[in-house]
Amino acid sequence: FDSALVVVDGVDRGRGMSLVDALDPARLATVEVLKGDAATLLHGARGRHGVVRIVTKAAAARATTRTTSGEIGVAPTAD
């Protein structure tokens, strides 16, 4: 994973595990490792060597939830 993309709180921090080693483990909420199709699907070509996604406790506390709803209707047309 030396060439993996590191994403902290949704922000691309570059490549390499040295970026992960510099983080304080007590401040981390989640660490997720993506590889293969999952990494490239979510991060495009930048994720081709894998992605380490990290969420800090501070970001997890700020997380918001969005809810949406909608309606679709079909009406007959007059000929």
Side-chain angles (χ1 to χ4, degrees):
F1 281 106
D2 287 336
S3 60
L5 176 66
V6 178
V7 178
V8 179
D9 295 337
V11 179
D12 180 351
R13 297 292 184 186
R15 296 190 176 283
M17 293 308 291
S18 61
L19 296 166
V20 175
D21 292 338
L23 296 171
D24 179 10
R27 297 180 59 205
L28 305 181
T30 62
V31 177
E32 184 178 15
V33 177
L34 303 173
K35 58 183 182 175
D37 292 341
T40 54
L41 176 68
L42 295 173
H43 297 280
R46 296 177 301 134
R48 69 185 171 276
H49 297 294
V51 177
V52 178
R53 290 175 36 179
I54 299 169
V55 177
T56 62
K57 290 179 181 177
R62 292 189 309 261
T64 59
T65 303
R66 295 182 186 165
T67 304
T68 61
S69 63
E71 293 182 30
I72 297 176
V74 178
T77 57
D79 288 332

